[in-house]
Amino acid sequence: MTARVAVVTGAARGLGEAIALRLAADYDALVLADLTDRASGECAQQWEDVTSEVSRVRCDVRDAGSVRELFDRAEEFGDPVALVNAAGVGIFTPLLEIDEAMWDNTFAVNTRGTFLTCQEFLRRTESASAIVNIASIGARLGGDMLAHYGASKAAVIELSHSVARVGASRGIRCNTVMPGLILTDMWRQTIAFLRERDPGLASLSDDQVFQGFVEQMVPMGRPQEARDIAEMVAFLLGDGARNVTGQTVSVDGGAVMT
Ligand SMILES: NC(=O)c1ccc[n+]([C@@H]2O[C@H](COP(=O)([O-])OP(=O)(O)OC[C@H]3O[C@@H](n4cnc5c(N)ncnc54)[C@H](O)[C@@H]3O)[C@@H](O)[C@H]2O)c1
């Protein structure tokens, strides 16, 4: 039988890595793409227990050639039947300070990267299969600090609708997950940026600054964890969601209610 392969981008750390670890239970092989072919080391212990085949590929999702090579690699292991786009960038920046380079790079990674991998997946995949794109509650909130990021993620949601329509008759589903607030490197970079600007934050730890955002934004009053996102992704990729496509699901303790 042909091996079932899951491709996950942004899998070297953070949410992408947590999603990949969760998918190890469901797929024969994982092909993990990131700018680096090394894991952060944070989950080293958990990777030791994984029995699926794992291949790490250096891939820049902004680049079509790099994405083609990623799928060439994936096909060496079997049938790519699942794709998760978790590669992403974005730190808080006031709207009036976002320059063209920051705008373009945010869209290049978050939106073009997701487009290129979805397109390549649709070109190559014949089997019933599924895609999950990781957007963000930033796509639905507006706000001074996230104009570039939110717009790039809103584009991911609409792109996912098109992918879902194109794939539907071939049994290829595509859904989007909007994570809430998870303290990963992305948030740590944002906290470092905010601390530089606001002397009032200097005496607070990363956890304390982050908790302040959680209290402001999350009705349930607690942060999300990477495994919350990973569970939703696994569900949407799996057979339990066989009639779910073109949907956007928030995992955010009620921050965005749709
Ligand atoms: N952490 C949160 O609270 C949160 C909330 C909403 C959405 N998200 C989204 O979840 C996804 C994962 O975020 P995270 O918090 O784990 O961030 P992170 O910064 O820890 O991880 C992002 C990963 O993407 C990789 N990456 C960046 N540019 C790339 C490129 N050009 N090609 C390939 N890989 C690239 C990075 O190397 C890194 O490993 C992102 O799409 C992010 O926008 C995160």
Side-chain angles (χ1 to χ4, degrees):
M1 222 167 65
T2 316
R4 299 171 74 249
V5 182
V7 177
V8 183
T9 74
R13 65 175 194 229
L15 300 191
E17 184 171 36
I19 291 165
L21 274 163
R22 170 63 187 81
L23 297 185
D26 299 345
Y27 296 88
D28 304 314
L30 302 174
V31 175
L32 307 182
D34 208 300
L35 292 173
T36 163
D37 57 9
R38 294 215 182 132
S40 68
E42 277 176 27
C43 300
Q45 186 68 49
Q46 285 156 274
W47 281 112
E48 277 181 19
D49 298 332
V50 165
T51 52
S52 313
E53 193 115 39
V54 178
S55 173
R56 296 185 181 277
V57 180
R58 195 173 298 149
C59 168
D60 184 342
V61 297
R62 294 169 293 191
D63 178 66
S66 188
V67 168
R68 278 195 295 276
E69 283 169 20
L70 167 65
F71 280 90
D72 288 345
R73 184 85 184 117
E75 284 176 346
E76 288 172 18
F77 288 89
D79 241 356
V81 292
L83 167 65
V84 181
N85 279 301
V89 291
I91 57 169
F92 278 29
T93 308
L95 189 147
L96 296 183
E97 294 174 30
I98 296 168
D99 61 17
E100 289 149 291
M102 179 178 282
W103 181 272
D104 287 349
N105 190 54
T106 307
F107 270 76
V109 178
N110 297 354
T111 313
R112 188 197 325 150
T114 303
F115 162 68
L116 289 172
T117 55
C118 287
Q119 187 185 51
E120 203 56 31
F121 189 87
L122 285 170
R123 280 180 176 147
R124 297 187 188 221
T125 303
E126 304 294 336
S127 338
S129 52
I131 299 171
V132 174
N133 293 326
I134 304 298
S136 167
I137 56 170
R140 292 276 166 82
L141 290 174
D144 177 28
M145 293 286 193
L146 288 173
H148 53 328
Y149 179 74
S152 74
K153 292 295 193 177
V156 165
I157 293 171
E158 187 52 25
L159 166 68
S160 303
H161 295 161
S162 298
V163 172
R165 292 234 180 247
V166 171
S169 62
R170 293 158 56 193
I172 301 173
R173 298 180 297 104
C174 179
N175 293 291
T176 309
V177 170
M178 298 197 297
L181 276 69
I182 306 100
L183 187 54
T184 61
D185 283 5
M186 187 176 272
W187 259 102
R188 287 191 192 93
Q189 285 165 19
T190 281
I191 291 168
F193 169 85
L194 295 174
R195 200 176 271 127
E196 267 174 31
R197 300 191 155 222
D198 181 353
L201 299 179
S203 60
L204 301 180
S205 68
D206 283 7
D207 283 338
Q208 287 170 320
V209 176
F210 184 68
Q211 187 57 31
F213 280 98
V214 171
E215 281 162 20
Q216 273 174 44
M217 296 173 66
V218 182
M220 291 186 81
R222 64 177 179 226
Q224 286 65 67
E225 292 177 23
R227 70 188 165 96
D228 300 327
I229 313 308
E231 284 301 333
M232 179 56 72
V233 170
F235 169 72
L236 289 170
L237 291 174
D239 198 47
R242 64 190 181 280
N243 276 309
V244 181
T245 195
Q247 303 305 308
T248 303
V249 184
S250 217
V251 182
D252 64 2
V256 170
M257 298 194 185
T258 52

